[in-house]
Amino acid sequence: MSLRINAVVPDFKAETSHGPIQFHEWIGDSWAILFSHPKDFTPVCTTEFGAVATLSDEWKKRGTKVIGVSVDGVEDHKRWGTDIKNVSGSDVDFPIIADDGLTVSKLFDMLPEDAYLPDGRTPADSATVRSVFIIGPDKQLKLSMTYPMTVGRNFAEILRALDALQTTTKHGVATPADWMVGQDVIIPPSVSNEDAKQKYGEYETILPYLRKTPLR
């Protein structure tokens, strides 16, 4: 069964490039992002891991842990880290899960239960292991997105989505299309006009069901 928004994500034990982890314990009270790729030493994924490494300070500002997952082993991950640093100029300071048994890929529904890795496999054999999962401190799935092998992920958008998730969770609001930190937010329709004025002060009514307000 596929994971749905607000479902508790699977817990699991795994070996990583930083040592063994228990996933829920590793998340702790933080937000977390798990992002996957089908194989080490592949061109698109090398640029993506570099992008994540370069954003290290941004994840920390947001109290968010990031972790990669690949269906290769720990030693491959460590060797690949050198390539990633050479491309991006940044150290890979986050763990990469060694999912050579496909446990995590199947738990997160990126591969079917009967999937296996054939001898002489290529990235095409695990092509659907190309997802991003944003997970809250409550261990619930807040957002997921899946990309094809040929399209590099936009981690600026993932960072923007994380900002929106943290803002809406903290303040009980919603965010409009293309929202960025500092812009007006949307007052939920479940909040009456009277309660909205009391809670948010002045707000703009664009439609009866669309009201915007700055966060104070």
Side-chain angles (χ1 to χ4, degrees):
M1 183 180 292
S2 61
L3 284 174
R4 300 184 184 279
I5 300 297
N6 295 330
V8 175
V9 300
D11 193 17
F12 57 85
K13 292 180 181 179
E15 293 296 327
T16 81
S17 55
H18 288 189
I21 65 162
Q22 182 77 41
F23 189 52
H24 281 196
E25 183 180 301
W26 175 82
I27 294 173
D29 296 326
S30 301
W31 286 74
I33 296 177
L34 184 150
F35 65 103
S36 63
H37 63 283
K39 201 176 190 306
D40 294 356
F41 305 104
T42 52
V44 174
C45 293
T46 299
T47 65
E48 292 178 324
F49 265 69
V52 174
T54 301
L55 290 169
S56 176
D57 289 344
E58 297 300 325
W59 309 124
K60 290 171 184 172
K61 284 179 189 175
R62 292 159 175 81
T64 299
K65 297 177 179 179
V66 294
I67 189 166
V69 57
S70 166
V71 296
D72 287 319
V74 167
E75 292 308 312
D76 280 337
H77 293 347
K78 290 179 178 178
R79 290 191 296 111
W80 188 33
T82 301
D83 288 352
I84 295 165
K85 183 175 181 178
N86 288 339
V87 169
S88 68
S90 299
D91 289 314
V92 180
D93 63 355
F94 53 87
I96 308 173
I97 296 167
D99 194 34
D100 41 3
L102 306 183
T103 300
V104 178
S105 298
K106 292 179 180 181
L107 282 173
F108 280 75
D109 199 39
M110 294 180 281
L111 288 175
E113 279 298 318
D114 59 355
Y116 68 97
L117 296 180
D119 292 339
R121 75 176 183 91
T122 70
D125 294 303
S126 47
T128 53
V129 185
R130 287 275 295 152
S131 296
V132 178
F133 303 91
I134 301 182
I135 302 160
D138 54 8
K139 315 304 185 290
Q140 292 181 0
L141 178 65
K142 304 303 181 183
L143 179 150
S144 66
M145 55 184 83
T146 300
Y147 287 70
M149 283 176 56
T150 54
V151 179
R153 284 167 274 199
N154 184 334
F155 283 93
E157 164 56 17
I158 293 167
L159 197 66
R160 188 201 73 85
L162 175 63
D163 283 335
L165 286 165
Q166 292 185 338
T167 297
T168 57
T169 299
K170 180 178 180 180
H171 297 284
V173 295
T175 57
D178 303 322
W179 177 86
M180 301 290 287
V181 171
Q183 295 179 344
D184 287 358
V185 297
I186 292 173
I187 300 171
S190 58
V191 178
S192 69
N193 289 339
E194 182 179 331
D195 288 344
K197 188 168 185 179
Q198 193 171 49
K199 185 173 183 179
Y200 304 107
E202 295 301 317
Y203 61 85
E204 179 185 6
T205 301
I206 300 167
L207 294 167
Y209 54 85
L210 176 55
R211 299 163 297 170
K212 286 187 175 183
T213 185
L215 279 178
R216 294 177 174 80

